[in-house]
């Protein structure tokens, strides 16, 4: 099979404006995920026009979204302050290292957020962007820091047979295993594609051990796949060299009234976050499974617990502004950039800082 490679080399000079106000000792013992969204006139961290590589589906301002208040909120933990983002210090810390995001288009959302956070605030942002099949690599050439996105929505293997696509709940694909090993930071994510049915369903059959099924309960399948992933990580990742994260479930807000403090019937009419506890108060079933699997692992995987804080942000989805000039569809799953994924990355950086 022919492999296509797209290369982009760009040099842009911009003033460095990042500062750091947080220290490691201030973060230790702090629950980073228990907090609130605060208005901050200094936000957002960047302008999407500084990053031509952002997918147009996430560039809500460029696509005509008329309001901008959703850009002006930052996440504030109750018992500490997050480190103020510094591109220079981050790139120096991860010189000659690889950071890999593995997952679906929500991972794409977060990966593009971090690449733009770094690129827009780097003094000499010479970079190389390449894509080989399902793997995209954004390399800052001066520091040789590679931010990699591996498009792998289910984490486990899908075998392509003459009679259909087979989801193998007990296997990790060899090419994925090879990519994941040797990285310095791994950020996994999986959930949204487990819900797809019909033409969007990415498999035709499911295998669990020696048994072949046409389909099965999605939560059951999700947990079996996570257990396979967990076993592989326990046995194959060197935790003295690699820090492993799993991103919590990113919530959708298709029925905005369900979440309280609403402006309309869908996320497309939302202009304010949820202030106060969001509804529902119960944890999402997939989040319960994810936390149970991570808690059962012999090695420490860090939960990037973005679910609850993201539930507050019913105002920050692309809605009808995900496709320029075509106000069709309603995207209440992904997030505008700049936006909520920037806060996820601030939390990721705080986790990496605190050790």
């Amino acid at each position: 099979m022919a492999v296509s490679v797209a290369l982009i080399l760009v040099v842009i000079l911009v003033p460095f404006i990042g500062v750091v106000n947080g220290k490691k000792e201030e973060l230790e013992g702090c629950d980073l995920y228990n907090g609130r969204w605060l208005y901050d006139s200094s936000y957002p961290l960047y302008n999407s026009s500084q990053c031509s590589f952002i997918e147009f589906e996430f560039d809500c301002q460029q696509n005509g979204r008329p309001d901008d208040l959703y850009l002006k909120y930052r996440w504030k933990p109750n018992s500490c302050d997050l480190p103020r983002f510094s591109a220079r210090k981050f790139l120096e810390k991860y010189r000659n290292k690889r950071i890999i995001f593995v997952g679906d288009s929500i991972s794409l959302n977060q990966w593009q957020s971090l690449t733009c956070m770094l690129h827009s605030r780097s003094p000499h942002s010479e970079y190389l962007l390449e894509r080989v099949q399902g793997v995209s690599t954004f390399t800052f050439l001066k520091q040789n820091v590679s931010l990699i996105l591996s498009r792998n929505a289910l984490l486990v293997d899908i075998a392509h047979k003459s009679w259909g696509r087979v989801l193998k709940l007990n296997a990790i694909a060899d090419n994925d295993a090879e990519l994941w090993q040797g990285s310095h930071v791994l950020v996994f994510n999986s959930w949204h594609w487990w819900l797809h049915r019909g033409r969007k369903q990415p498999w035709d059959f499911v295998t669990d051990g020696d048994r072949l099924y046409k389909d099965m309960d999605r939560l059951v399948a999700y947990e079996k796949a996570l257990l396979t992933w967990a076993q592989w990580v326990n046995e194959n990742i060197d935790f003295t060299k690699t820090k492993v994260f799993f991103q919590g479930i990113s919530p959708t807000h298709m029925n905005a009234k369900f979440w309280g403090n609403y402006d309309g019937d869908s996320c497309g009419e939302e202009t304010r976050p949820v202030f106060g506890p969001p509804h529902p108060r119960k944890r999402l079933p997939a989040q319960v499974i994810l936390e149970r699997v991570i808690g059962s692992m012999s090695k420490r995987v860090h939960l990037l617990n973005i679910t609850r804080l993201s539930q507050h942000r019913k105002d920050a989805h692309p809605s009808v502004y995900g496709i320029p000039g075509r106000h069709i569809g309603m995207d209440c799953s992904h997030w505008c950039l700049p936006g909520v994924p920037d806060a996820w990355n601030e939390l990721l950086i705080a986790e990496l800082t605190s050790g």
Side-chain angles (χ1 to χ4, degrees), residues 192-207:
H192 284 203
W193 276 85
W194 291 92
L195 299 174
H196 287 309
R197 299 183 184 275
R199 290 190 301 173
K200 287 189 175 182
Q201 180 176 304
W203 67 83
D204 303 302
F205 300 93
V206 180
T207 59

Side-chain angles (χ1 to χ4, degrees), residues 38-109:
L38 295 180
Y39 177 84
D40 189 330
S41 61
S42 69
Y43 273 58
L45 295 172
Y46 56 87
N47 189 306
S48 62
S49 64
Q50 298 171 276
C51 304
S52 60
F53 47 80
I54 285 183
E55 298 284 333
F56 63 81
E57 291 92 341
F58 306 148
D59 195 351
C60 302
Q61 289 291 301
Q62 183 65 32
N63 293 341
R65 180 164 176 169
D67 62 305
D68 62 2
L69 183 62
Y70 71 96
L71 298 171
K72 298 294 185 179
Y73 292 97
R74 65 176 174 88
W75 180 250
K76 169 66 172 70
N78 287 332
S79 56
C80 63
D81 290 312
L82 292 177
R84 189 66 173 177
F85 175 65
S86 169
R88 178 180 59 83
K89 289 193 174 184
F90 184 91
L91 291 173
E92 282 302 321
K93 179 175 182 178
Y94 288 97
R95 178 181 290 272
N96 299 320
K97 292 180 170 60
R98 300 195 312 166
I99 299 171
I100 303 181
F101 294 85
V102 183
D104 55 24
S105 54
I106 301 298
S107 293
L108 170 63
N109 233 174

Side-chain angles (χ1 to χ4, degrees), residues 146-256:
S146 294
L147 304 179
I148 300 171
L149 171 71
S150 175
R151 292 165 178 80
N152 186 335
L154 305 173
L155 302 184
V156 291
D157 193 16
I158 296 181
H160 293 265
K161 306 291 186 180
S162 60
W163 39 274
R165 301 161 299 173
V166 182
L167 176 63
K168 302 172 70 175
L169 294 177
N170 311 117
I172 301 293
D174 291 340
N175 59 328
D176 292 323
E178 182 179 355
L179 177 66
W180 300 350
Q181 290 177 312
S183 62
H184 298 87
V185 179
L186 279 166
V187 185
F188 292 94
N189 157 61
S190 182
W191 172 238
H192 284 203
W193 276 85
W194 291 92
L195 299 174
H196 287 309
R197 299 183 184 275
R199 290 190 301 173
K200 287 189 175 182
Q201 180 176 304
W203 67 83
D204 303 302
F205 300 93
V206 180
T207 59
D208 179 21
D210 295 330
R211 296 192 174 189
L212 179 69
Y213 302 90
K214 181 62 179 174
D215 206 350
M216 69 167 58
D217 181 279
R218 301 308 173 86
L219 286 170
V220 172
Y222 179 62
E223 183 163 15
K224 288 179 180 291
L226 285 184
L227 288 169
T228 297
W229 164 85
Q231 181 179 355
W232 187 93
V233 168
N234 276 333
E235 295 175 354
N236 294 279
I237 295 297
D238 183 350
F239 277 70
T240 65
K241 299 178 180 179
T242 302
K243 198 160 189 177
V244 182
F245 294 85
F246 207 110
Q247 183 201 83
I249 305 302
S250 176
T252 62
H253 292 93
M254 198 60 195
N255 186 350

Side-chain angles (χ1 to χ4, degrees), residues 94-134:
Y94 288 97
R95 178 181 290 272
N96 299 320
K97 292 180 170 60
R98 300 195 312 166
I99 299 171
I100 303 181
F101 294 85
V102 183
D104 55 24
S105 54
I106 301 298
S107 293
L108 170 63
N109 233 174
Q110 185 176 7
W111 174 73
Q112 289 217 307
S113 162
L114 185 56
T115 55
C116 192
M117 287 169 66
L118 292 167
H119 171 68
S120 64
R121 305 180 82 169
S122 303
H124 304 287
S125 56
E126 181 180 342
Y127 68 84
L128 179 67
L129 176 59
E130 57 185 332
R131 177 171 178 175
V132 180
Q133 296 182 337

